[in-house]
Amino acid sequence: MNLYAESSAVLAWLLDEPTAVAIRRLLRAADVVVASDLTLIECDRVLLRAVALGELTESEATDSRAHLAAAAAHWHVLRIAGEVVDRARRPFPGDPVRTLDAIHLASLLVARSAVAGLRLLSLDERVRQAAKGLGIAVEPT
């Protein structure tokens, strides 16, 4: 199975939310994991915000960053380049789609052109529905 790892799923894993075990299992079982620069940026920003608001200690955030870096070292990280930007500016099924979600969906489509059978790993229902409208399978099922 090949997966595009969207931020909501990666954050659920990093923050040990109730779905973390299922997300971790899917990531480990994947043959190929693709993520956008945006996934890494959003995860880092959430960790910084959680420390600033006292929801995580700096030590906990550092541990989470280390887990993310270790995992991402084995992922294919897609840059937010012209092709992604151009696609994100066009309509998606289920519009209106939020800007960052459009970047994820565009990244997924660009990656899908290079990675056969790429599925979306996301917990965000709006992103999942838009992906389904594009004919892309979603995880967790």
Side-chain angles (χ1 to χ4, degrees), residues 7 10-17 38-70:
S7 306
V10 176
L11 282 164
W13 161 59
L14 288 175
L15 298 174
D16 203 28
E17 293 178 358
L38 180 58
T39 299
L40 303 179
I41 293 166
E42 286 186 304
C43 289
D44 283 336
R45 295 305 310 167
V46 167
L47 294 172
L48 288 165
R49 183 176 186 271
V51 169
L53 295 175
E55 297 167 353
L56 287 178
T57 66
E58 186 57 52
S59 176
E60 291 168 328
T62 297
D63 288 347
S64 291
R65 280 191 212 81
H67 291 305
L68 177 60

Side-chain angles (χ1 to χ4, degrees), residues 41-130:
I41 293 166
E42 286 186 304
C43 289
D44 283 336
R45 295 305 310 167
V46 167
L47 294 172
L48 288 165
R49 183 176 186 271
V51 169
L53 295 175
E55 297 167 353
L56 287 178
T57 66
E58 186 57 52
S59 176
E60 291 168 328
T62 297
D63 288 347
S64 291
R65 280 191 212 81
H67 291 305
L68 177 60
H74 301 283
W75 298 349
H76 299 276
V77 178
L78 182 64
R79 302 292 172 215
I80 303 171
E83 188 177 5
V84 171
V85 172
D86 290 344
R87 180 57 187 95
R89 294 179 67 192
R90 297 197 324 259
F92 287 98
D95 265 335
V97 170
R98 296 176 299 181
T99 303
L100 297 180
D101 294 344
I103 294 170
H104 276 300
L105 291 165
S107 298
L108 170 61
L109 289 172
V110 168
R112 189 172 174 224
S113 69
V115 179
L118 191 63
R119 301 168 76 88
L120 171 66
L121 177 63
S122 176
L123 299 176
D124 184 307
E125 198 53 42
R126 287 180 285 201
V127 174
R128 290 169 60 88
Q129 288 305 315

